[in-house]
Amino acid sequence: MEALGYAFGHAEETLTARPATRFEADTLELDPGEWVVQILRASYFTEDTPVHTLETICAATRHIFTIGQVGGLDEF
């Protein structure tokens, strides 16, 4: 993409904890009542043009979500 003149600008993620659907529970082999975390990620070029989206569903009890912050970008 850089060869075409595009540069990565930023990405946004939304994490939502919720009860699993029957399909998710079966596919992920969850225990009864186990929740999932749905992660929606959108990546954008510097002009705020969307370039990539990704949805991930995972068992809430099997994952740790580590959040980091790049130095010099102290925006909250």
Side-chain angles (χ1 to χ4, degrees):
M1 299 306 291
E2 289 181 4
L4 298 173
Y6 295 100
F8 175 77
H10 71 282
E12 299 173 0
E13 288 186 339
T14 302
L15 282 73
T16 304
R18 59 173 175 74
T21 66
R22 172 168 272 150
F23 176 78
E24 292 164 346
D26 291 345
T27 301
L28 297 172
E29 300 178 1
L30 302 179
D31 292 331
E34 191 171 353
W35 281 37
V36 295
V37 174
Q38 176 185 33
I39 305 161
L40 297 174
R41 179 182 176 88
S43 299
Y44 299 87
F45 290 131
T46 52
E47 306 83 22
D48 286 334
T49 303
V51 63
H52 182 260
T53 58
L54 175 67
E55 177 185 40
T56 303
I57 307 290
C58 56
T61 58
R62 297 183 213 159
H63 291 82
I64 297 173
F65 302 95
T66 304
I67 307 298
Q69 184 170 348
V70 177
L73 299 176
D74 295 333
E75 295 183 24
F76 294 94

